[in-house]
Amino acid sequence: PVKPITQAGTVVGTFQYMSPEQVQGQEADARSDIFALGAVLYEMVTGKRAFEGKSAISVASAILEKEPEPISALQPMTPPALDQVVRGCLRKEPEERYQSAHDVKLQLKWIAEGGSQAGAPAVVVKHRRHREWVAWGAAALLLAAATILGAAALRRYLEQPQVVRFAIPQPEGASFRFGIFGGSPAPAAISPDGKLVVFGADAGGKRLLWVRPLNAFEARPLEGTQGAQYPFWSPDSRWVGFFADGKLKKIEASGQTPTETLCDAPDGRGGTWNREGVIVFQPTSTATSLQQVSENGGTPAAVGPPVTEKNLSLRWPFFLPDGKHFLFTIGSPSLQKKQTGGGIFVGSLDSQESRRILEDDSNAVYVPSGHLLFVRDQVLMAIEFDAPTLKTRGGVRPLAESVQYEPLRWMGHFSASQTGTLLFWKGTASPARQLTWFDRSGKVLGKFGEPDNYLGIRLSPGGKQVAAVIGGSGKQNVDIWLLDLERGGRTRFTFSPAADVAPVWSPDQKDIVYSSQESGAFDLYLKAANGASSEHLLFQSSEGKIATDWSADGKTILFNAIRSHVEIWAYSLAGHKAAPVLSGDFNYVNSVFS
């Protein structure tokens, strides 16, 4: 007998039993199963496959263009009605086939009960006794097959999965690792098979990745993942990719093998892994293009579209099912997405062309139900997405509220498996926070200012003003505001469409230095505290810079330089130069002068 020709790839299955629409890579439905049933019935009765060929291509061509030889030509004793039933299953167009397994079942039952005698040729009736066992035996066997198929189809199309919701607690003696400013976040990610969750947590002075099987009560740490950021899974759910120590690395989820280093990635912002062993990732927060590298390591190469406009940053790639196209985010601190080019895009491994899918500043993932998931205003949204045409359909609908979102990283903390399991960090329903005074013992002394989305605050040396970073929620831009503690009220201090953060007062309170994405990476800017003059660029370089303190003599500004590790640098106002103060194999953050 001819062995079935099976081909793996975009068209998966045994070709001899595939419908024309499946061969052409189109969407399959219950009528595709009817075609497969017809092919099985044909082979059961004749002992020969309905469509044959010497190669997968010739079999596919036969399915699309040829009609199988009549059953009566191969088995003359077969009831003509049975031939008609099989032909009705094997129609090229889905609309011309039997529309359900139940219809096939009724026809086969009619044949088994003797209905096939009607209209049978005389020569066939003459030999009915000799072939009666064929009609009854074949019809009964095919009736059983149709009943089984019908029951399976009924279960598949009518049964609805039960929705189960539960929370994953942090490991005993550990705390989830999560941070917006100065932190090194390791958001949770669920494996493609829906069986494992990886997340970051601190325990015993070490920051590691942990793996929690969903069928177990305990999570286990993965040794060798110190300082890990942004974990992502291999398609077979065996490996975890992550960023640490300025490198892109991978480790087996079982933890049984040492960590492997794949390539350089000084400040990674997301990765994705396809079945051909290609990893697409963002090596730094300011890179102008995504990179690709083999799962076995090597020299990375640019992939997808580059960006040249200032303030834009590519990140959070996610492969679509074909393993060639991928989603990614171009983050823009400006609220005018159409003008600045921010949003959710789709790119390709073999082209620099891209297409904007949505204007939202969020990471996005694709799920097998045919939807894109993304975050808008702390609500996890879903929209229909046709992967072959790369186009959305219809409107968006909410899935979950109060999902944690990082406005300066344009990232929602959620993940989805290929089996229908959704994972997300629960955030606050409202981003509003209240500024509050405490004494040294922790007693509340009072409150000031209106509740808002405060992302950082700095008290002036005289204690009469607060420079506050506010925004990042909904349509709020991230800016610095000045709050007057004596007279009340507040005034806007920065007006850039980019994110302005980390304000630091000069010792005489006349100036404020801060970090802004006005030129792409976070650079240091200086502006008079009374707003009498415009800001000016103080220090610019390829690394991100976060201001942390100003010396009492007014001569030196401390800042964090985001390189392969977070380093402490000092900028001399007299010499207009910057130099490292502390660097090495650790992250040094939030430095201040004595």
Side-chain angles (χ1 to χ4, degrees), residues 30-75:
R31 297 170 298 182
S32 304
D33 294 338
I34 296 298
F35 189 96
L37 174 62
V40 172
L41 299 184
Y42 186 97
E43 187 173 347
M44 289 171 66
V45 175
T46 65
K48 180 181 178 181
R49 293 191 175 92
F51 305 98
E52 294 185 317
K54 295 182 179 180
S55 67
I57 294 178
S58 60
V59 172
S61 177
I63 292 173
L64 294 173
E65 300 173 2
K66 297 180 181 180
E67 295 292 338
E69 191 174 4
I71 290 178
S72 57
L74 301 174
Q75 293 289 347

mmCIF file of all heavy atoms in Angstrom, residues 30-75:
data_model
loop_
_atom_site.group_PDB
_atom_site.id
_atom_site.type_symbol
_atom_site.label_atom_id
_atom_site.label_comp_id
_atom_site.label_asym_id
_atom_site.label_seq_id
_atom_site.Cartn_x
_atom_site.Cartn_y
_atom_site.Cartn_z
ATOM 1 N N ALA A 30 -16.604 22.347 10.035
ATOM 2 C CA ALA A 30 -17.182 21.002 10.128
ATOM 3 C C ALA A 30 -17.288 20.336 8.759
ATOM 4 O O ALA A 30 -17.188 19.112 8.635
ATOM 5 C CB ALA A 30 -18.554 21.078 10.787
ATOM 6 N N ARG A 31 -17.470 21.134 7.725
ATOM 7 C CA ARG A 31 -17.591 20.561 6.380
ATOM 8 C C ARG A 31 -16.267 19.993 5.880
ATOM 9 O O ARG A 31 -16.263 19.117 5.010
ATOM 10 C CB ARG A 31 -18.143 21.621 5.419
ATOM 11 C CG ARG A 31 -19.559 22.079 5.788
ATOM 12 C CD ARG A 31 -20.014 23.273 4.995
ATOM 13 N NE ARG A 31 -19.163 24.430 5.244
ATOM 14 C CZ ARG A 31 -19.364 25.633 4.705
ATOM 15 N NH1 ARG A 31 -20.393 25.812 3.888
ATOM 16 N NH2 ARG A 31 -18.552 26.630 4.976
ATOM 17 N N SER A 32 -15.177 20.471 6.421
ATOM 18 C CA SER A 32 -13.874 19.875 6.104
ATOM 19 C C SER A 32 -13.790 18.461 6.674
ATOM 20 O O SER A 32 -13.200 17.561 6.069
ATOM 21 C CB SER A 32 -12.742 20.746 6.668
ATOM 22 O OG SER A 32 -12.842 22.066 6.198
ATOM 23 N N ASP A 33 -14.382 18.273 7.859
ATOM 24 C CA ASP A 33 -14.453 16.924 8.446
ATOM 25 C C ASP A 33 -15.319 16.005 7.599
ATOM 26 O O ASP A 33 -15.057 14.794 7.497
ATOM 27 C CB ASP A 33 -15.012 16.995 9.866
ATOM 28 C CG ASP A 33 -14.080 17.727 10.828
ATOM 29 O OD1 ASP A 33 -12.879 17.797 10.539
ATOM 30 O OD2 ASP A 33 -14.571 18.210 11.860
ATOM 31 N N ILE A 34 -16.376 16.546 6.982
ATOM 32 C CA ILE A 34 -17.244 15.740 6.111
ATOM 33 C C ILE A 34 -16.444 15.228 4.923
ATOM 34 O O ILE A 34 -16.572 14.081 4.507
ATOM 35 C CB ILE A 34 -18.447 16.571 5.635
ATOM 36 C CG1 ILE A 34 -19.324 16.979 6.831
ATOM 37 C CG2 ILE A 34 -19.274 15.796 4.615
ATOM 38 C CD1 ILE A 34 -19.921 15.822 7.584
ATOM 39 N N PHE A 35 -15.582 16.106 4.356
ATOM 40 C CA PHE A 35 -14.740 15.693 3.232
ATOM 41 C C PHE A 35 -13.812 14.555 3.666
ATOM 42 O O PHE A 35 -13.650 13.560 2.948
ATOM 43 C CB PHE A 35 -13.924 16.884 2.728
ATOM 44 C CG PHE A 35 -13.184 16.614 1.451
ATOM 45 C CD1 PHE A 35 -13.710 16.969 0.225
ATOM 46 C CD2 PHE A 35 -11.936 15.987 1.468
ATOM 47 C CE1 PHE A 35 -13.030 16.710 -0.967
ATOM 48 C CE2 PHE A 35 -11.245 15.730 0.292
ATOM 49 C CZ PHE A 35 -11.799 16.093 -0.931
ATOM 50 N N ALA A 36 -13.194 14.693 4.846
ATOM 51 C CA ALA A 36 -12.309 13.646 5.351
ATOM 52 C C ALA A 36 -13.073 12.341 5.559
ATOM 53 O O ALA A 36 -12.565 11.248 5.272
ATOM 54 C CB ALA A 36 -11.665 14.098 6.652
ATOM 55 N N LEU A 37 -14.306 12.452 6.059
ATOM 56 C CA LEU A 37 -15.141 11.255 6.243
ATOM 57 C C LEU A 37 -15.389 10.574 4.906
ATOM 58 O O LEU A 37 -15.307 9.342 4.793
ATOM 59 C CB LEU A 37 -16.461 11.638 6.906
ATOM 60 C CG LEU A 37 -17.500 10.516 7.025
ATOM 61 C CD1 LEU A 37 -16.967 9.379 7.896
ATOM 62 C CD2 LEU A 37 -18.811 11.053 7.596
ATOM 63 N N GLY A 38 -15.680 11.380 3.872
ATOM 64 C CA GLY A 38 -15.903 10.807 2.544
ATOM 65 C C GLY A 38 -14.693 10.059 2.036
ATOM 66 O O GLY A 38 -14.815 8.977 1.440
ATOM 67 N N ALA A 39 -13.495 10.613 2.272
ATOM 68 C CA ALA A 39 -12.273 9.946 1.839
ATOM 69 C C ALA A 39 -12.068 8.633 2.574
ATOM 70 O O ALA A 39 -11.621 7.630 2.001
ATOM 71 C CB ALA A 39 -11.075 10.870 2.054
ATOM 72 N N VAL A 40 -12.410 8.623 3.875
ATOM 73 C CA VAL A 40 -12.286 7.390 4.661
ATOM 74 C C VAL A 40 -13.304 6.350 4.185
ATOM 75 O O VAL A 40 -12.980 5.160 4.040
ATOM 76 C CB VAL A 40 -12.477 7.695 6.159
ATOM 77 C CG1 VAL A 40 -12.544 6.403 6.964
ATOM 78 C CG2 VAL A 40 -11.335 8.561 6.678
ATOM 79 N N LEU A 41 -14.540 6.774 3.917
ATOM 80 C CA LEU A 41 -15.571 5.842 3.437
ATOM 81 C C LEU A 41 -15.169 5.225 2.104
ATOM 82 O O LEU A 41 -15.330 4.022 1.876
ATOM 83 C CB LEU A 41 -16.908 6.572 3.282
ATOM 84 C CG LEU A 41 -17.515 7.204 4.548
ATOM 85 C CD1 LEU A 41 -18.870 7.807 4.236
ATOM 86 C CD2 LEU A 41 -17.633 6.189 5.660
ATOM 87 N N TYR A 42 -14.651 6.068 1.211
ATOM 88 C CA TYR A 42 -14.219 5.590 -0.098
ATOM 89 C C TYR A 42 -13.162 4.492 0.067
ATOM 90 O O TYR A 42 -13.228 3.431 -0.584
ATOM 91 C CB TYR A 42 -13.651 6.768 -0.895
ATOM 92 C CG TYR A 42 -13.301 6.436 -2.328
ATOM 93 C CD1 TYR A 42 -14.168 6.716 -3.369
ATOM 94 C CD2 TYR A 42 -12.077 5.841 -2.642
ATOM 95 C CE1 TYR A 42 -13.850 6.413 -4.692
ATOM 96 C CE2 TYR A 42 -11.737 5.538 -3.952
ATOM 97 C CZ TYR A 42 -12.634 5.832 -4.969
ATOM 98 O OH TYR A 42 -12.305 5.537 -6.268
ATOM 99 N N GLU A 43 -12.190 4.721 0.954
ATOM 100 C CA GLU A 43 -11.111 3.755 1.140
ATOM 101 C C GLU A 43 -11.605 2.482 1.822
ATOM 102 O O GLU A 43 -11.137 1.381 1.519
ATOM 103 C CB GLU A 43 -9.997 4.409 1.967
ATOM 104 C CG GLU A 43 -8.742 3.560 2.089
ATOM 105 C CD GLU A 43 -7.607 4.313 2.763
ATOM 106 O OE1 GLU A 43 -7.712 5.544 2.903
ATOM 107 O OE2 GLU A 43 -6.628 3.659 3.155
ATOM 108 N N MET A 44 -12.584 2.613 2.730
ATOM 109 C CA MET A 44 -13.126 1.433 3.419
ATOM 110 C C MET A 44 -13.847 0.498 2.442
ATOM 111 O O MET A 44 -13.754 -0.723 2.561
ATOM 112 C CB MET A 44 -14.104 1.871 4.511
ATOM 113 C CG MET A 44 -13.426 2.534 5.723
ATOM 114 S SD MET A 44 -14.627 3.267 6.843
ATOM 115 C CE MET A 44 -15.462 1.796 7.424
ATOM 116 N N VAL A 45 -14.544 1.081 1.483
ATOM 117 C CA VAL A 45 -15.332 0.272 0.549
ATOM 118 C C VAL A 45 -14.479 -0.283 -0.577
ATOM 119 O O VAL A 45 -14.623 -1.444 -0.974
ATOM 120 C CB VAL A 45 -16.499 1.107 -0.022
ATOM 121 C CG1 VAL A 45 -17.247 0.306 -1.103
ATOM 122 C CG2 VAL A 45 -17.455 1.501 1.084
ATOM 123 N N THR A 46 -13.553 0.543 -1.123
ATOM 124 C CA THR A 46 -12.812 0.129 -2.317
ATOM 125 C C THR A 46 -11.441 -0.444 -2.002
ATOM 126 O O THR A 46 -10.839 -1.114 -2.850
ATOM 127 C CB THR A 46 -12.615 1.334 -3.252
ATOM 128 O OG1 THR A 46 -11.773 2.306 -2.603
ATOM 129 C CG2 THR A 46 -13.959 1.986 -3.585
ATOM 130 N N GLY A 47 -10.917 -0.151 -0.804
ATOM 131 C CA GLY A 47 -9.553 -0.566 -0.505
ATOM 132 C C GLY A 47 -8.523 0.305 -1.183
ATOM 133 O O GLY A 47 -7.330 -0.019 -1.191
ATOM 134 N N LYS A 48 -8.951 1.421 -1.752
ATOM 135 C CA LYS A 48 -8.072 2.326 -2.476
ATOM 136 C C LYS A 48 -8.362 3.753 -2.038
ATOM 137 O O LYS A 48 -9.502 4.114 -1.769
ATOM 138 C CB LYS A 48 -8.320 2.184 -3.979
ATOM 139 C CG LYS A 48 -7.463 3.073 -4.849
ATOM 140 C CD LYS A 48 -7.817 2.872 -6.325
ATOM 141 C CE LYS A 48 -6.993 3.811 -7.207
ATOM 142 N NZ LYS A 48 -7.345 3.639 -8.650
ATOM 143 N N ARG A 49 -7.336 4.595 -1.942
ATOM 144 C CA ARG A 49 -7.548 5.978 -1.537
ATOM 145 C C ARG A 49 -8.199 6.777 -2.655
ATOM 146 O O ARG A 49 -7.923 6.575 -3.837
ATOM 147 C CB ARG A 49 -6.236 6.639 -1.108
ATOM 148 C CG ARG A 49 -5.670 6.027 0.172
ATOM 149 C CD ARG A 49 -4.523 6.873 0.712
ATOM 150 N NE ARG A 49 -4.089 6.336 1.985
ATOM 151 C CZ ARG A 49 -3.124 5.430 2.148
ATOM 152 N NH1 ARG A 49 -2.508 4.958 1.081
ATOM 153 N NH2 ARG A 49 -2.797 4.997 3.337
ATOM 154 N N ALA A 50 -9.041 7.721 -2.263
ATOM 155 C CA ALA A 50 -9.760 8.536 -3.249
ATOM 156 C C ALA A 50 -8.811 9.412 -4.040
ATOM 157 O O ALA A 50 -9.022 9.660 -5.236
ATOM 158 C CB ALA A 50 -10.811 9.393 -2.536
ATOM 159 N N PHE A 51 -7.737 9.893 -3.408
ATOM 160 C CA PHE A 51 -6.791 10.782 -4.070
ATOM 161 C C PHE A 51 -5.384 10.283 -3.791
ATOM 162 O O PHE A 51 -4.988 10.155 -2.627
ATOM 163 C CB PHE A 51 -6.955 12.219 -3.563
ATOM 164 C CG PHE A 51 -8.359 12.736 -3.689
ATOM 165 C CD1 PHE A 51 -9.214 12.717 -2.590
ATOM 166 C CD2 PHE A 51 -8.826 13.219 -4.884
ATOM 167 C CE1 PHE A 51 -10.508 13.179 -2.695
ATOM 168 C CE2 PHE A 51 -10.126 13.686 -4.997
ATOM 169 C CZ PHE A 51 -10.979 13.657 -3.912
ATOM 170 N N GLU A 52 -4.644 9.983 -4.854
ATOM 171 C CA GLU A 52 -3.309 9.449 -4.698
ATOM 172 C C GLU A 52 -2.340 10.200 -5.596
ATOM 173 O O GLU A 52 -2.728 10.911 -6.534
ATOM 174 C CB GLU A 52 -3.270 7.949 -5.021
ATOM 175 C CG GLU A 52 -4.060 7.091 -4.024
ATOM 176 C CD GLU A 52 -3.894 5.605 -4.296
ATOM 177 O OE1 GLU A 52 -3.949 5.239 -5.475
ATOM 178 O OE2 GLU A 52 -3.708 4.844 -3.337
ATOM 179 N N GLY A 53 -1.062 10.049 -5.303
ATOM 180 C CA GLY A 53 -0.020 10.675 -6.096
ATOM 181 C C GLY A 53 1.334 10.264 -5.579
ATOM 182 O O GLY A 53 1.458 9.682 -4.496
ATOM 183 N N LYS A 54 2.352 10.584 -6.364
ATOM 184 C CA LYS A 54 3.712 10.209 -5.989
ATOM 185 C C LYS A 54 4.361 11.229 -5.066
ATOM 186 O O LYS A 54 5.436 10.987 -4.534
ATOM 187 C CB LYS A 54 4.571 10.036 -7.249
ATOM 188 C CG LYS A 54 4.105 8.875 -8.123
ATOM 189 C CD LYS A 54 5.021 8.716 -9.335
ATOM 190 C CE LYS A 54 4.586 7.548 -10.210
ATOM 191 N NZ LYS A 54 5.462 7.379 -11.398
ATOM 192 N N SER A 55 3.727 12.378 -4.906
ATOM 193 C CA SER A 55 4.282 13.410 -4.044
ATOM 194 C C SER A 55 3.147 14.171 -3.393
ATOM 195 O O SER A 55 1.972 14.034 -3.772
ATOM 196 C CB SER A 55 5.167 14.380 -4.836
ATOM 197 O OG SER A 55 4.381 15.125 -5.744
ATOM 198 N N ALA A 56 3.493 14.968 -2.391
ATOM 199 C CA ALA A 56 2.472 15.778 -1.724
ATOM 200 C C ALA A 56 1.813 16.727 -2.700
ATOM 201 O O ALA A 56 0.602 16.981 -2.649
ATOM 202 C CB ALA A 56 3.111 16.554 -0.566
ATOM 203 N N ILE A 57 2.602 17.265 -3.642
ATOM 204 C CA ILE A 57 2.055 18.218 -4.618
ATOM 205 C C ILE A 57 1.050 17.532 -5.535
ATOM 206 O O ILE A 57 -0.017 18.080 -5.832
ATOM 207 C CB ILE A 57 3.195 18.858 -5.430
ATOM 208 C CG1 ILE A 57 4.070 19.718 -4.518
ATOM 209 C CG2 ILE A 57 2.649 19.679 -6.587
ATOM 210 C CD1 ILE A 57 5.256 20.345 -5.214
ATOM 211 N N SER A 58 1.374 16.326 -6.002
ATOM 212 C CA SER A 58 0.452 15.628 -6.902
ATOM 213 C C SER A 58 -0.818 15.212 -6.178
ATOM 214 O O SER A 58 -1.907 15.240 -6.763
ATOM 215 C CB SER A 58 1.140 14.396 -7.515
ATOM 216 O OG SER A 58 1.546 13.478 -6.504
ATOM 217 N N VAL A 59 -0.708 14.849 -4.894
ATOM 218 C CA VAL A 59 -1.910 14.521 -4.114
ATOM 219 C C VAL A 59 -2.769 15.766 -3.952
ATOM 220 O O VAL A 59 -3.993 15.736 -4.129
ATOM 221 C CB VAL A 59 -1.537 13.947 -2.739
ATOM 222 C CG1 VAL A 59 -2.770 13.786 -1.872
ATOM 223 C CG2 VAL A 59 -0.845 12.603 -2.900
ATOM 224 N N ALA A 60 -2.126 16.889 -3.605
ATOM 225 C CA ALA A 60 -2.871 18.138 -3.443
ATOM 226 C C ALA A 60 -3.547 18.543 -4.741
ATOM 227 O O ALA A 60 -4.689 19.018 -4.747
ATOM 228 C CB ALA A 60 -1.928 19.242 -2.964
ATOM 229 N N SER A 61 -2.858 18.365 -5.866
ATOM 230 C CA SER A 61 -3.439 18.693 -7.172
ATOM 231 C C SER A 61 -4.662 17.831 -7.460
ATOM 232 O O SER A 61 -5.672 18.310 -7.985
ATOM 233 C CB SER A 61 -2.380 18.510 -8.260
ATOM 234 O OG SER A 61 -2.928 18.742 -9.540
ATOM 235 N N ALA A 62 -4.586 16.538 -7.117
ATOM 236 C CA ALA A 62 -5.722 15.643 -7.335
ATOM 237 C C ALA A 62 -6.925 16.066 -6.499
ATOM 238 O O ALA A 62 -8.073 16.043 -6.969
ATOM 239 C CB ALA A 62 -5.319 14.205 -7.011
ATOM 240 N N ILE A 63 -6.667 16.461 -5.253
ATOM 241 C CA ILE A 63 -7.764 16.902 -4.380
ATOM 242 C C ILE A 63 -8.448 18.138 -4.949
ATOM 243 O O ILE A 63 -9.674 18.274 -4.900
ATOM 244 C CB ILE A 63 -7.242 17.177 -2.963
ATOM 245 C CG1 ILE A 63 -6.802 15.871 -2.301
ATOM 246 C CG2 ILE A 63 -8.286 17.884 -2.104
ATOM 247 C CD1 ILE A 63 -6.115 16.049 -0.969
ATOM 248 N N LEU A 64 -7.667 19.053 -5.509
ATOM 249 C CA LEU A 64 -8.213 20.318 -6.012
ATOM 250 C C LEU A 64 -8.880 20.174 -7.382
ATOM 251 O O LEU A 64 -9.837 20.901 -7.683
ATOM 252 C CB LEU A 64 -7.105 21.373 -6.095
ATOM 253 C CG LEU A 64 -6.488 21.826 -4.766
ATOM 254 C CD1 LEU A 64 -5.302 22.740 -5.021
ATOM 255 C CD2 LEU A 64 -7.528 22.537 -3.913
ATOM 256 N N GLU A 65 -8.401 19.240 -8.233
ATOM 257 C CA GLU A 65 -8.820 19.251 -9.634
ATOM 258 C C GLU A 65 -9.511 17.973 -10.112
ATOM 259 O O GLU A 65 -10.269 18.015 -11.079
ATOM 260 C CB GLU A 65 -7.590 19.513 -10.520
ATOM 261 C CG GLU A 65 -6.892 20.850 -10.219
ATOM 262 C CD GLU A 65 -5.601 21.002 -10.986
ATOM 263 O OE1 GLU A 65 -5.262 20.088 -11.770
ATOM 264 O OE2 GLU A 65 -4.929 22.035 -10.806
ATOM 265 N N LYS A 66 -9.282 16.841 -9.480
ATOM 266 C CA LYS A 66 -9.770 15.573 -10.025
ATOM 267 C C LYS A 66 -10.899 14.993 -9.181
ATOM 268 O O LYS A 66 -11.015 15.284 -7.998
ATOM 269 C CB LYS A 66 -8.624 14.561 -10.106
ATOM 270 C CG LYS A 66 -7.502 14.979 -11.046
ATOM 271 C CD LYS A 66 -6.389 13.929 -11.079
ATOM 272 C CE LYS A 66 -5.262 14.374 -12.009
ATOM 273 N NZ LYS A 66 -4.166 13.363 -12.054
ATOM 274 N N GLU A 67 -11.722 14.159 -9.851
ATOM 275 C CA GLU A 67 -12.768 13.407 -9.152
ATOM 276 C C GLU A 67 -12.289 11.958 -8.993
ATOM 277 O O GLU A 67 -11.679 11.399 -9.922
ATOM 278 C CB GLU A 67 -14.074 13.422 -9.938
ATOM 279 C CG GLU A 67 -14.706 14.795 -10.084
ATOM 280 C CD GLU A 67 -15.203 15.333 -8.761
ATOM 281 O OE1 GLU A 67 -15.441 14.516 -7.848
ATOM 282 O OE2 GLU A 67 -15.334 16.567 -8.651
ATOM 283 N N PRO A 68 -12.536 11.338 -7.849
ATOM 284 C CA PRO A 68 -12.109 9.942 -7.681
ATOM 285 C C PRO A 68 -12.891 9.009 -8.601
ATOM 286 O O PRO A 68 -14.020 9.315 -9.013
ATOM 287 C CB PRO A 68 -12.416 9.655 -6.211
ATOM 288 C CG PRO A 68 -13.491 10.626 -5.850
ATOM 289 C CD PRO A 68 -13.227 11.847 -6.655
ATOM 290 N N GLU A 69 -12.291 7.895 -8.946
ATOM 291 C CA GLU A 69 -12.960 6.888 -9.775
ATOM 292 C C GLU A 69 -14.215 6.403 -9.075
ATOM 293 O O GLU A 69 -14.207 6.198 -7.851
ATOM 294 C CB GLU A 69 -12.001 5.716 -10.013
ATOM 295 C CG GLU A 69 -12.487 4.736 -11.071
ATOM 296 C CD GLU A 69 -11.446 3.677 -11.368
ATOM 297 O OE1 GLU A 69 -10.397 3.688 -10.685
ATOM 298 O OE2 GLU A 69 -11.691 2.849 -12.249
ATOM 299 N N PRO A 70 -15.354 6.237 -9.806
ATOM 300 C CA PRO A 70 -16.601 5.798 -9.155
ATOM 301 C C PRO A 70 -16.401 4.503 -8.371
ATOM 302 O O PRO A 70 -15.677 3.599 -8.806
ATOM 303 C CB PRO A 70 -17.554 5.599 -10.333
ATOM 304 C CG PRO A 70 -17.022 6.492 -11.413
ATOM 305 C CD PRO A 70 -15.532 6.467 -11.247
ATOM 306 N N ILE A 71 -17.051 4.429 -7.236
ATOM 307 C CA ILE A 71 -16.948 3.228 -6.401
ATOM 308 C C ILE A 71 -17.452 2.011 -7.156
ATOM 309 O O ILE A 71 -16.887 0.908 -7.052
ATOM 310 C CB ILE A 71 -17.742 3.426 -5.095
ATOM 311 C CG1 ILE A 71 -17.025 4.448 -4.206
ATOM 312 C CG2 ILE A 71 -17.898 2.107 -4.339
ATOM 313 C CD1 ILE A 71 -17.745 4.739 -2.919
ATOM 314 N N SER A 72 -18.507 2.181 -7.956
ATOM 315 C CA SER A 72 -19.092 1.048 -8.691
ATOM 316 C C SER A 72 -18.123 0.458 -9.702
ATOM 317 O O SER A 72 -18.229 -0.720 -10.061
ATOM 318 C CB SER A 72 -20.373 1.497 -9.413
ATOM 319 O OG SER A 72 -20.083 2.582 -10.290
ATOM 320 N N ALA A 73 -17.152 1.291 -10.174
ATOM 321 C CA ALA A 73 -16.169 0.770 -11.124
ATOM 322 C C ALA A 73 -15.162 -0.126 -10.429
ATOM 323 O O ALA A 73 -14.571 -1.006 -11.070
ATOM 324 C CB ALA A 73 -15.449 1.930 -11.818
ATOM 325 N N LEU A 74 -14.951 0.084 -9.145
ATOM 326 C CA LEU A 74 -13.999 -0.729 -8.386
ATOM 327 C C LEU A 74 -14.671 -1.867 -7.638
ATOM 328 O O LEU A 74 -14.092 -2.926 -7.463
ATOM 329 C CB LEU A 74 -13.238 0.173 -7.407
ATOM 330 C CG LEU A 74 -12.444 1.325 -8.039
ATOM 331 C CD1 LEU A 74 -11.867 2.230 -6.957
ATOM 332 C CD2 LEU A 74 -11.323 0.784 -8.914
ATOM 333 N N GLN A 75 -15.916 -1.620 -7.173
ATOM 334 C CA GLN A 75 -16.702 -2.619 -6.455
ATOM 335 C C GLN A 75 -18.105 -2.654 -7.056
ATOM 336 O O GLN A 75 -19.025 -1.983 -6.594
ATOM 337 C CB GLN A 75 -16.770 -2.269 -4.966
ATOM 338 C CG GLN A 75 -15.444 -2.369 -4.217
ATOM 339 C CD GLN A 75 -14.995 -3.820 -4.039
ATOM 340 O OE1 GLN A 75 -15.778 -4.758 -4.261
ATOM 341 N NE2 GLN A 75 -13.737 -4.006 -3.661
#
